Amino acid sequence: MDLPKAFTEYMAHLIGEEACRRLEQGLADEPQVSIRLNRRKLAGCGHECPVPQSADVAVPWCRTGYYLKDRPAFTFDPLLHAGAYYVQEAGSMFLEQAFAALSADAGFQEPLMALDLCAAPGGKSTHLRSLLPEGSFLVSNEPMRPRAQVLSENMMKWGDPACMVTNGYPADFSALEHLFDVVVTDVPCSGEGMFRKDEGAIADWSPENVELCWKRQRSIIADIWPALKPGGYLIYSTCTFNALEDEDNVAWIARELGADLIPVPCAEEWGIQGDLTGGSLPVYHFLPGWTRGEGFFLAVLRKHGQREEAEDGWRACLPRKAAKKGKPDKKDKNKGKNEISASELTTLSGWLSGSDWEWLAEDTQVSAVPKEWADACRAVKECLTVMHCGVPVAELKGRDWVPRHGLALNRVCCRDSFPQVELSYEQAVAYLRKEALVLPADTPKGFVMLTYRNFPLGFAKQIGNRANNLYPDAWRIRSGYVTPCSVLFP
């Protein structure tokens, strides 16, 4: 690997020449692939959390993470599309230990409002959603529209009802004062930790780019800081090695914005390195050559103040009709249709388990969010573009309500409301390629849920002797060939 001379000189000065040579060797080694299981979805589909058949060893800092023996053709595994697992770099899974540390520090037991600020493609968001206490709500944001669409897809596949995906910049959150208990910021960086996975990261690296990055990172944190509650927690991370973007920025946040750093317990045998500047900051570096994975940096900070002192400044963003907690926004609810009749609402409600839902509408699409978070969702919608919110339930087409794809993938979908057809592997891949379907002759007419290994894949509409494939066109597998793949089960 031909690393930039300025980079190796800087790292030799930072960590010493011998350690720098070890890092260079680590960057030259073949990267290892890792996945993280969706424990809640596996359990909901009747599976214990399995050791994947293609697993090498477990990721030690993540209960559901596994290194794989090699890199399979993930595209052709229906269970990836069903949200049974997520392909994620192992170092990023250290988020689990960080969240455990801040939870222990705060004694969190009640539901939380959390934000993943720079969330695409969704690795940390899907993980954070699995770590939050039951009843919590997560906003996952991505500034770039195409990446936000990918994020929305991955969050729908993960299948949790208490999620919202937004498309906005950090400054757009400034009006949402004291809304979030936890903010995760995997800030854009110079990408040194991705050198062995992405040759473009090497080509784009320069000392000038590092300078731009650390300044931009401070601007991002300053923009989001008002939205974090006093006493709330910021998880700051990068995929780079240099101290300018890592240790120096963490020290700046603590000093200038007002925060204390929280230690994260970790075992010595994990190989995680501490403060590379020789200081005593409780920060955590994943360096190739020491840990199995790519480069990663993380620190946890607690904002000064007490959470009980926080005022709900975000309520000023609420539309006037929604300002009273729990009051439905009838204008939004009926946008695109005169009204939703009682019988239609009964039908749509029957597609979800539970009853504590607030119904939100945008044009002809209807979603449901947990009632306790409805006002917060409305406030966020006033400030940012929303890609999806809560459970995408239905879309009005003509006179009929059609179940949306995200409903099938969500763990609160009432599966018994639809006839179900279990697909073979070949049929499942054909469905994911949006090919024509022929279902069993005794399949009832109407909307049908299609499953693979008891995991919902989506809907089809049975029409006589054929079925319309309702898989989203934007999500379909476009490859013209198939490499059979089964990561979790034989």
Side-chain angles (χ1 to χ4, degrees):
M1 180 179 293
D2 189 14
L3 296 172
K5 183 178 179 182
F7 167 75
T8 55
E9 288 178 346
Y10 173 84
M11 291 306 298
H13 175 74
L14 181 64
I15 61 177
E17 292 188 2
E18 183 178 349
C20 184
R21 286 192 294 270
R22 181 174 176 178
L23 175 62
E24 289 183 65
Q25 180 57 54
L27 289 170
D29 292 340
E30 192 71 20
Q32 191 161 10
V33 181
S34 49
I35 65 168
R36 181 173 39 78
L37 305 182
N38 189 341
R39 184 183 296 241
R40 288 173 176 165
K41 181 164 280 193
L42 282 159
C45 295
H47 298 275
E48 294 296 326
C49 208
V51 175
Q53 65 154 352
S54 53
D56 182 9
V57 295
V59 175
W61 45 83
C62 177
R63 293 170 297 168
T64 54
Y66 292 90
Y67 295 102
L68 302 186
K69 297 171 186 174
D70 50 31
R71 186 177 188 88
F74 289 114
T75 298
F76 302 105
D77 186 356
L79 295 188
L80 175 67
H81 299 271
Y85 65 93
Y86 191 95
V87 183
Q88 185 181 19
E89 203 286 306
S92 296
M93 299 181 198
F94 191 63
L95 178 67
E96 184 165 314
Q97 302 301 321
F99 189 81
L102 68 85
S103 296
D105 182 73
F108 282 147
Q109 294 180 343
E110 73 279 12
L112 307 173
M113 186 75 168
L115 168 67
D116 187 357
L117 183 64
C118 310
K124 291 182 183 64
S125 275
T126 54
H127 198 184
L128 181 60
R129 181 57 267 181
S130 298
L131 298 171
L132 288 167
E134 194 66 32
S136 299
F137 198 90
L138 172 65
V139 177
S140 300
N141 179 72
E142 171 55 43
M144 307 304 293
R145 179 76 178 190
R147 287 171 55 82
Q149 291 171 336
V150 174
L151 173 64
S152 181
E153 175 183 341
N154 286 329
M155 293 306 292
M156 283 193 198
K157 288 176 177 177
W158 202 248
D160 195 283
C163 293
M164 184 181 200
V165 175
T166 59
N167 171 217
Y169 289 94
D172 296 331
F173 287 87
S174 61
L176 298 168
E177 187 176 8
H178 300 165
L179 177 57
F180 300 104
D181 300 283
V182 178
V183 174
V184 174
T185 55
D186 189 39
V187 289
C189 67
S190 59
E192 296 163 354
M194 305 304 291
F195 278 175
R196 69 176 175 182
K197 289 185 68 174
D198 182 5
E199 292 183 1
I202 299 176
D204 292 341
W205 188 92
S206 68
E208 292 76 19
N209 190 37
V210 171
E211 183 84 3
L212 288 173
C213 285
W214 73 256
K215 291 179 180 178
R216 178 172 56 183
Q217 290 153 1
R218 292 189 184 188
S219 176
I220 288 171
I221 301 303
D223 283 342
I224 198 60
W225 200 249
L228 180 63
K229 290 179 181 179
Y233 293 82
L234 177 81
I235 300 177
Y236 177 90
S237 65
T238 73
C239 57
T240 202
F241 306 130
N242 70 79
L244 294 170
E245 299 177 70
D246 294 343
E247 282 88 349
D248 289 0
N249 270 356
V250 166
W252 177 85
I253 295 168
R255 181 180 66 253
E256 300 298 329
L257 300 182
D260 298 314
L261 280 108
I262 305 300
V264 178
C266 56
E268 184 176 350
E269 60 267 22
W270 294 352
I272 300 169
Q273 304 300 298
D275 188 340
L276 298 185
T277 67
S280 57
L281 293 175
V283 297
Y284 306 89
H285 279 277
F286 290 71
L287 305 178
W290 283 265
T291 56
R292 301 177 69 174
E294 307 312 308
F296 183 65
F297 170 86
L298 181 142
V300 180
L301 300 102
R302 181 183 60 234
K303 185 176 181 177
H304 288 168
Q306 300 296 321
R307 292 172 66 229
E308 294 76 14
E309 300 171 359
E311 296 182 4
D312 291 343
W314 55 270
R315 290 195 176 275
C317 299
L318 286 172
R320 185 172 298 175
K321 283 189 175 183
K324 185 177 179 181
K325 187 173 181 180
K327 187 174 180 63
D329 187 343
K330 293 181 180 180
K331 182 179 178 181
D332 279 350
K333 183 176 178 179
N334 299 319
K335 189 177 179 181
K337 194 187 179 188
N338 289 333
E339 62 178 313
I340 302 175
S341 69
S343 61
E344 288 174 319
L345 192 57
T346 298
T347 298
L348 298 183
S349 299
W351 291 356
L352 299 178
S353 59
S355 58
D356 293 330
W357 302 104
E358 185 90 356
W359 294 89
L360 304 176
E362 190 69 36
D363 296 325
T364 58
Q365 295 185 341
V366 175
S367 301
V369 297
K371 279 187 177 180
E372 61 268 32
W373 297 113
D375 279 353
C377 289
R378 290 189 182 97
V380 173
K381 286 178 69 176
E382 288 297 303
C383 301
L384 295 108
T385 299
V386 175
M387 307 299 291
H388 85 259
C389 183
V391 186
V393 179
E395 182 175 6
L396 185 65
K397 293 188 176 181
R399 296 183 178 181
D400 298 325
W401 288 105
V402 178
R404 295 170 67 186
H405 185 72
L407 172 66
L409 300 177
N410 204 284
R411 62 187 179 91
V412 298
C413 176
C414 186
R415 294 173 57 166
D416 292 341
S417 297
F418 304 95
Q420 297 177 49
V421 174
E422 176 75 6
L423 303 180
S424 67
Y425 175 82
E426 291 74 19
Q427 291 173 319
V429 173
Y431 173 70
L432 295 169
R433 293 168 75 169
K434 205 173 173 62
E435 295 177 354
L437 296 172
V438 177
L439 302 181
D442 60 350
T443 303
K445 289 185 179 180
F447 298 112
V448 179
M449 178 181 286
L450 304 180
T451 64
Y452 173 71
R453 290 184 178 266
N454 202 37
F455 288 86
L457 291 180
F459 293 108
K461 187 174 184 180
Q462 180 74 339
I463 306 173
N465 59 358
R466 66 181 180 85
N468 287 343
N469 189 330
L470 301 182
Y471 195 73
D473 186 69
W475 294 16
R476 67 182 176 88
I477 297 174
R478 288 173 166 76
S479 176
Y481 65 93
V482 176
T483 302
C485 177
S486 180
V487 173
L488 300 188
F489 307 109

